[in-house]
Amino acid sequence: MDAWGQVVALLDATGSFFEPAQTAFPGAGAAAWAEAARLDPGAAGPDGSWRLDFRCFAVSRPGGRWVLVDAGVGPAGGPAAGWAPVPGRLPAALGEAGIDPADVEAVVLTHLHEDHTGWTRDAAGRPFFPEARYLVQSAEVAALDRADPVWDWTVAPLRATGQLQEVAGEHRLAPGITLLPTPGHTPGHQSVLVAGAAGPGGGKRGRDVLVTGDVLVHAVQLADPAVPYSHERDRSAARASREELLALAVRRRALLATAHLTRAFVEPPDPGR
């Protein structure tokens, strides 16, 4: 693919969360749940369960190179195995999209949770994207407990190979690709703005795309950004980041690229709705 800025959704896994939706999103009102059902009907599982996708995104770069955002749940032996539907199918999804792991020049890790870092290495312990630098906010690394399995799975090995790049604050990765700090879900969470993304099939320039990471994990938070998620590290900061990111999406008319909704791309909320 020659056109730069094409954003491709890569589905790594689909499963049910280990908590019911009402538990995972405490305080959501009936109107927010009804709107969430309209926005993402696939998320409603049986008996109030939450069905979610585990998704990565690839952004094309000149010369057949790629930037990957997040690395999915990973292989069967990865840190996500305790609760996520491993093994993920990212290797197959990359092949279906015509992307060779060796052509991935950068991997942006929105945060260091196990369902976003799984394919930083393969089952044999080798970096899955051998030519890539892996970008993460320095605040995220600083906050990660050394006993967290992601430390030994991702941080320590990538430091050893010199592939881990820690950034601080807003960071221009490449023309049209900017990393935006969106803390709260974790201390150093970041999202990604792809400005003027290419149209379908690599056609003429199109809309901005905001890859949200876990600022937004369920459509109920799109319906009501004040709704917290039970596994946010700092609910107040997460809400502020969510509201700011959605406001940015509205201002720029950006499409939202979501990690866990059962729809890869969704429209930002209409302020007049």
Side-chain angles (χ1 to χ4, degrees):
M1 182 180 296
D2 294 326
W4 66 267
Q6 179 78 12
V7 180
V8 179
L10 301 166
L11 182 62
D12 190 38
T14 298
S16 294
F17 200 58
F18 56 82
E19 291 178 341
Q22 295 276 356
T23 302
F25 301 94
W33 284 116
E35 178 66 359
R38 184 189 72 81
L39 293 169
D40 189 20
D47 300 320
S49 63
W50 170 25
R51 294 185 65 256
L52 70 165
D53 286 345
F54 298 83
R55 189 179 293 106
C56 313
F57 291 90
V59 184
S60 63
R61 296 270 295 128
R65 307 291 281 171
W66 293 85
V67 169
L68 185 72
V69 182
D70 281 329
V73 299
W83 66 276
V86 298
R89 63 176 309 276
L90 182 62
L94 289 165
E96 291 161 5
I99 301 172
D100 189 314
D103 290 330
V104 174
E105 63 182 10
V107 178
V108 178
L109 299 175
T110 60
H111 61 297
L112 294 175
H113 278 170
E114 56 269 28
D115 58 319
H116 291 256
T117 56
W119 291 108
T120 53
R121 57 189 279 191
D122 62 20
R126 299 173 299 241
F128 189 79
F129 302 97
E131 304 300 320
R133 53 191 170 122
Y134 292 74
L135 293 96
V136 63
Q137 289 285 324
S138 57
E140 185 74 358
V141 178
L144 188 67
D145 193 310
R146 299 301 192 273
D148 190 303
V150 173
W151 185 271
D152 286 337
W153 183 264
T154 296
V155 176
L158 293 177
R159 275 186 169 173
T161 59
Q163 290 173 271
L164 189 69
Q165 180 181 348
E166 296 182 37
V167 300
E170 187 171 315
H171 179 80
R172 183 176 181 267
L173 171 59
I177 304 176
T178 304
L179 314 186
L180 304 174
T182 48
H185 181 75
T186 59
H189 189 283
Q190 60 186 350
S191 303
V192 181
L193 172 64
V194 183
K204 65 181 181 179
R205 310 314 304 169
R207 298 174 63 179
D208 292 351
V209 173
L210 271 167
V211 186
T212 64
D214 280 7
V215 168
L216 174 74
V217 297
H218 191 288
V220 75
Q221 295 180 301
L222 191 58
D224 182 359
V227 171
Y229 172 46
S230 60
H231 299 282
E232 290 168 338
R233 181 78 68 88
D234 183 331
R235 291 185 179 184
S236 177
R239 174 180 176 176
S241 289
R242 188 160 45 251
E243 291 174 341
E244 289 169 9
L245 195 74
L246 292 175
L248 177 64
V250 170
R251 290 196 305 273
R252 299 188 67 124
R253 298 186 59 253
L255 200 59
L256 301 172
T258 72
H260 294 305
L261 274 66
T262 66
R263 297 172 58 197
F265 298 100
V266 297
E267 295 286 343
D270 181 353
R273 186 177 173 81

